[in-house]
Amino acid sequence: MSRTLIVVGLCIVAIGLLWPWVTRIGLGRLPGDIVIERENFRLYVPITTGILISVVLSAILWLINR
């Protein structure tokens, strides 16, 4: 359990450090991501980005466990 938490924590740190590079390639603004902007309000729901990340992580974990 502790090893899993350490790996998850390191992955979160890595994503945080790589986030500026990831946004430059357009991962945060895919078609299907919902953005609602008003005067003092901004709502961002990354549906397509979440699905894409889920598929990629599932494929990577499937390959590792094979």
Side-chain angles (χ1 to χ4, degrees):
M1 182 67 163
S2 62
R3 182 179 294 179
T4 304
L5 289 174
I6 290 171
V7 170
V8 169
L10 290 174
C11 288
I12 290 172
V13 168
I15 291 169
L17 291 173
L18 294 174
W19 191 254
W21 179 76
V22 170
T23 55
R24 274 188 244 152
I25 63 172
L27 190 58
R29 297 287 185 181
L30 295 174
D33 291 346
I34 299 171
V35 179
I36 299 173
E37 295 183 14
R38 302 280 187 242
E39 286 181 23
N40 298 323
F41 178 74
R42 185 174 185 195
L43 176 67
Y44 177 65
V45 184
I47 295 172
T48 307
T49 303
I51 292 171
L52 181 66
I53 290 172
S54 175
V55 168
V56 169
L57 286 176
S58 294
I60 291 170
L61 292 174
W62 179 77
L63 287 172
I64 289 173
N65 288 330
R66 238 179 131 209

